[in-house]
């Protein structure tokens, strides 16, 4: 180990390529066309997919959802609103932070409790995006990460 440095686990490109089809399969099951973005533990893009008919604006939103998750140590995007809803300064201030998304569709990908990266999904409702992101993350973790 190098002094003054730390090792960080991160998703691989191969893992990202397993996440996208798992997410797309869930989107097809739900009957919604979405954009899906996978980021590594540093928030760097690894893979992206836009299903036929997915809204164009959803591309950036999906990427920002994945980035939001890793930028806040794995906090799923659906948890944000409840955390800030009763704090007007945050509710009306932090939402103007570039790339921050505070509604469902961004989920962490973890292994052994360590954040490896995230998937962001956009194009459906917040609940649909969340379910699709969870299905994508499960392709690596092997289990659903659904929590309230």
């Amino acid at each position: 180990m190098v002094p003054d440095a730390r090792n960080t686990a991160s998703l691989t490109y191969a893992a990202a390529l397993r996440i996208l089809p798992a997410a797309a399969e869930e989107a097809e099951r739900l009957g919604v066309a979405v954009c899906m973005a996978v980021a590594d533990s540093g928030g760097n893009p690894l893979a992206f997919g836009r299903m036929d008919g997915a809204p164009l604006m959803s591309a950036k939103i999906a990427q920002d959802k994945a980035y939001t998750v890793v930028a806040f140590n794995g906090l799923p995007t659906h948890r944000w609103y409840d955390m800030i809803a009763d704090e007007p300064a945050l509710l009306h201030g932090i939402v103007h932070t570039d790339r921050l998304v505070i509604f469902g569709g961004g989920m962490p990908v973890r292994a052994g409790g360590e954040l490896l990266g995230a998937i962001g999904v956009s194009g459906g409702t917040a609940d649909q995006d969340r379910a699709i992101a969870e299905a994508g993350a499960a392709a690596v973790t092997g289990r659903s990460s659904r929590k309230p």
Side-chain angles (χ1 to χ4, degrees), residues 64 67-68 72 80 84 94-102:
D64 288 349
Y67 181 83
T68 295
F72 285 91
W80 270 95
I84 66 174
I94 200 167
V95 296
H96 298 289
T97 302
D98 191 38
R99 302 197 70 187
L100 175 68
V101 179
I102 66 163

Side-chain angles (χ1 to χ4, degrees), residues 28-53:
E28 288 172 1
R29 188 184 76 72
L30 294 173
V32 61
V34 297
C35 293
M36 304 156 290
V38 179
D40 67 16
S41 61
N44 304 297
L46 279 176
F48 174 82
R50 180 179 170 265
M51 297 174 71
D52 296 340

Side-chain angles (χ1 to χ4, degrees), residues 14-123:
L17 293 181
R18 291 195 311 274
I19 291 170
L20 288 181
E25 183 178 324
E26 180 67 6
E28 288 172 1
R29 188 184 76 72
L30 294 173
V32 61
V34 297
C35 293
M36 304 156 290
V38 179
D40 67 16
S41 61
N44 304 297
L46 279 176
F48 174 82
R50 180 179 170 265
M51 297 174 71
D52 296 340
L56 294 176
M57 288 186 71
S58 292
K60 182 172 182 337
I61 296 168
Q63 293 169 32
D64 288 349
K65 286 180 181 183
Y67 181 83
T68 295
V69 172
V70 295
F72 285 91
N73 301 317
L75 182 69
T77 57
H78 69 272
R79 302 243 338 260
W80 270 95
Y81 185 80
D82 288 340
M83 287 181 5
I84 66 174
D86 295 328
E87 296 191 42
L90 285 176
L91 182 60
H92 300 289
I94 200 167
V95 296
H96 298 289
T97 302
D98 191 38
R99 302 197 70 187
L100 175 68
V101 179
I102 66 163
F103 47 89
M107 293 300 296
V109 179
R110 295 184 183 277
E114 195 161 1
L115 180 64
L116 302 179
I119 176 172
V121 175
S122 181

